Amino acid sequence: MPGFGLCALLGGGVMIERGKKGTLEQMVEQGTERLQSGLSIVLFPQGTRRVPTPTVPPLDFKRGFAILAAKTKARVVPVTFNYPLDYMSSSRDTSKSGVRVQFHSPVTIEDNDVAIKEAMLAIQKTVTDPILESFKRETQSESKKSK
């Protein structure tokens, strides 16, 4: 979502350099500091804010968010950002609704490898299923219009 990164930075976000050694430890350390100071934090568990499409599916989640939540006993509130298919198009149909944001039930993750992996996969499914369902509906709607 345009501008979200800047908002996160100004709000005390944890910024890491992707692909650099030690970023997981940096994220857990800084995330723990923020949580202990009473802040809530937002993480993009795919490691980016890429907009998925029917031909570019959502990326798999990385484990950092689940490790941070488990180690700090913080609750995870999964959020789905659901974009219309033409969201990034210059010819976007502005009569359609924009981004839909869906907040899911909070999840607590136990601090062990099996629980972290299971929670990560379950949260990924919770977040991405509405996006994939939306793609099916919009693609079917578009194909009906073209007939």
Side-chain angles (χ1 to χ4, degrees):
M1 185 177 304
F4 200 80
L6 178 60
C7 289
L9 181 63
L10 294 172
V14 176
M15 302 298 175
I16 60 169
E17 291 183 48
R18 284 177 260 185
K20 190 173 181 183
K21 188 174 175 86
T23 56
L24 175 61
E25 293 81 8
Q26 174 193 352
M27 189 272 302
V28 170
E29 180 182 323
Q30 289 181 15
T32 300
E33 289 171 6
R34 304 290 195 290
L35 291 167
Q36 287 175 344
S37 74
L39 291 174
S40 295
I41 59 175
V42 175
L43 299 171
F44 290 91
Q46 297 98 334
T48 185
R49 297 172 308 276
R50 180 179 81 179
V51 177
T53 68
T55 58
V56 181
L59 295 170
D60 286 339
F61 283 16
K62 298 185 184 319
R63 62 193 172 116
F65 83 94
I67 292 170
L68 175 62
K71 294 202 175 303
T72 60
K73 298 180 180 16
R75 293 183 312 155
V76 174
V77 179
V79 179
T80 300
F81 290 90
N82 213 334
Y83 300 84
L85 288 177
D86 62 353
Y87 182 71
M88 298 301 277
S89 169
S90 60
S91 59
R92 178 166 135 51
D93 180 357
T94 55
S95 67
K96 290 182 183 176
S97 63
V99 177
R100 287 171 298 198
V101 180
Q102 181 179 359
F103 292 86
H104 304 280
S105 298
V107 177
T108 303
I109 304 172
E110 291 188 35
D111 192 7
N112 67 69
D113 290 342
V114 172
I116 289 170
K117 175 90 172 165
E118 287 174 354
M120 183 182 74
L121 294 173
I123 292 169
Q124 177 174 319
K125 181 172 176 29
T126 297
V127 169
T128 59
D129 278 359
I131 296 169
L132 300 175
E133 285 300 317
S134 169
F135 289 161
K136 283 182 195 174
R137 282 191 308 276
E138 287 191 47
T139 304
Q140 289 170 349
S141 175
E142 292 296 319
S143 68
K144 285 180 184 176
K145 285 181 187 176
S146 65
K147 289 184 180 178

